[in-house]
Amino acid sequence: MVAFEDYRLEDRAVLEAADPLLRRLAGAGARIRVEAEAAREPTSLLDEAIRPRAVIAVGSEARLVRSLLEPVCPVPMMAWPGPALPGWVGPLDLVVVLAAHGGEQSLVHAASEAVRRGCQLLVAAPESSPVAESSMSRSTTLLTTRTSDPLAAVAVTAAALHALGLGPVLDLESVAGALDRVAEECSPWVDLSSNPAKDLALSMADTEPLVWGGSVLAARAARRVAEALRAASGRPALATDAEALMPVITAAEPRDPFADPFDAPITDRRPCLLLLEDGHTNELLAVARRQLEGAAEMADVRTCKVLQDEGSELLRYAVLLQKGLYAAAYLAIGLNRLQDPPSDW
């Protein structure tokens, strides 16, 4: 098993070797701007007066779109796993296809079926991709994607749904600007003492993270961050609700204050509680958070927090996710596990 070496987070040669991953993370805001510009014309042609009976979203980020729309959408909205559409979907409904990469066979099937049934379609996919080609019809609006970034595809799709009167107001430039600020704060050239992502990676270096987000969007960000932490470290990382996390925290073995940390086996890892907070709370969530923090304190489990409580729903989600992805990247750097970073970081 490889030990975390914190010097790697400040070593210029190591950080330069990690440039492809860190550069992709830093470009998140720019990718939203690229996709927003590409989607400007087709979005301007959308007609709010043509209201569908229901909205059915398919694709890897369909649940994120549903979470953004549900509070304000005037018609029923659902995220569907596919590939076959629900039997009741027809010409009165809008099918939203999120295919940032454009080649997913299940989405090709879903788009083809929506065309066959005469549905309205809103498709985010690369031009000339299998998904784009299979979705062509007189009732299709294609938002041509150029960056293969799922979050950027969601951003322009949500903006298009607002133009249809189905989603909240979105300022994509503010989202892009917030991601630019995360890139500045978490830059590899910002040292450990001032870099929140490096500090978070160091806090999780010898642990098995437990990630919790209270709201619907924070919980979704927690699942994505846990996926990134698993890929970065090759260790378990769990994201679930407070009720499921409590037994893991309370079962943690008591820490021996007199133990020599250098004598502990490298496989003997304690949990670490990572809280993602977006400012949306109610009494139930507040109680769950206090219970988690109290249990962690009683079990001497380290607790870390990432907070973003300003901005739109999409902005808060994007910032929580991006800070988590930066922390995962620095965890991979410290563990020297940069051979195969995920392509969608």
Side-chain angles (χ1 to χ4, degrees):
M1 303 288 280
V2 178
F4 186 91
E5 298 175 304
D6 55 357
Y7 84 88
R8 295 176 60 82
L9 303 186
E10 303 295 313
D11 187 296
R12 177 168 289 272
V14 171
L15 294 172
E16 287 176 350
D19 183 69
L21 174 57
L22 295 172
R23 186 180 295 272
R24 178 162 180 83
L25 289 174
R31 290 193 293 274
I32 286 181
R33 293 187 182 93
V34 168
E35 301 295 21
E37 181 59 32
R40 189 184 306 278
E41 182 178 352
T43 299
S44 68
L45 301 176
L46 295 172
D47 187 354
E48 183 177 345
I50 305 175
R51 177 161 293 179
R53 177 181 59 178
V55 179
I56 302 91
V58 296
S60 62
E61 296 297 332
R63 290 186 177 86
L64 174 56
V65 171
R66 183 194 64 188
S67 300
L68 292 170
L69 260 66
E70 270 187 331
V72 298
C73 188
V75 302
M77 164 76 197
M78 67 184 303
W80 190 253
L85 297 175
W88 52 265
V89 173
L92 298 179
D93 304 305
L94 172 64
V95 176
V96 178
V97 182
L98 296 143
H101 299 288
E104 300 91 332
Q105 192 57 41
S106 62
L107 298 182
V108 171
H109 179 83
S112 299
E113 188 173 351
V115 170
R116 181 175 60 81
R117 297 190 193 185
C119 303
Q120 302 173 55
L121 277 94
L122 179 64
V123 180
E127 190 175 15
S128 302
S129 66
V131 171
E133 292 174 355
S134 65
S135 62
M136 285 297 96
S137 76
R138 296 169 61 183
S139 301
T140 298
T141 297
L142 176 64
L143 305 176
T144 302
T145 60
R146 302 177 179 178
T147 65
S148 300
D149 185 335
L151 179 59
V154 167
V156 295
T157 300
L161 289 165
H162 166 67
L164 286 168
L166 302 172
V169 177
L170 275 181
D171 180 358
L172 296 188
E173 178 55 38
S174 70
V175 178
L179 292 176
D180 288 346
R181 289 190 291 276
V182 172
E184 292 171 4
E185 295 171 6
C186 302
S187 165
W189 314 123
V190 175
D191 64 37
L192 181 58
S193 63
S194 306
N195 191 316
K198 289 183 180 180
D199 182 64
L200 190 55
L202 187 60
S203 296
M204 296 187 292
D206 58 352
T207 70
E208 294 183 357
L210 308 174
V211 193
W212 181 78
S215 72
V216 173
L217 285 170
R220 178 153 189 83
R223 289 191 291 273
R224 289 290 312 279
V225 170
E227 291 171 4
L229 293 172
R230 288 194 293 270
S233 65
R235 305 172 188 165
L238 177 64
T240 185
D241 57 35
E243 185 178 357
L245 291 177
M246 285 291 289
V248 184
I249 295 173
T250 56
E253 292 290 333
R255 191 191 302 271
D256 181 357
F258 303 106
D260 184 343
F262 296 101
D263 287 340
I266 200 168
T267 55
D268 184 19
R269 299 191 182 92
R270 294 174 58 76
C272 170
L273 178 61
L274 173 58
L275 303 177
L276 302 185
E277 300 186 20
D278 63 359
H280 290 290
T281 190
N282 54 42
E283 186 57 30
L284 289 176
L285 292 180
V287 169
R289 183 176 61 251
R290 288 196 297 269
Q291 289 176 339
L292 284 172
E293 291 178 309
E297 184 177 2
M298 289 291 293
D300 196 19
V301 168
R302 184 181 300 146
T303 299
C304 307
K305 294 183 182 179
V306 178
L307 172 66
Q308 177 62 37
D309 58 0
E310 297 180 351
S312 67
E313 303 280 355
L314 180 61
L315 185 152
R316 297 180 192 209
Y317 169 86
V319 169
L320 290 179
L321 173 62
Q322 198 69 3
K323 288 183 176 180
L325 294 182
Y326 262 107
Y330 288 123
L331 184 60
I333 290 170
L335 292 170
N336 194 21
R337 285 178 51 90
L338 283 173
Q339 294 82 3
D340 298 300
S343 60
D344 58 351
W345 277 20

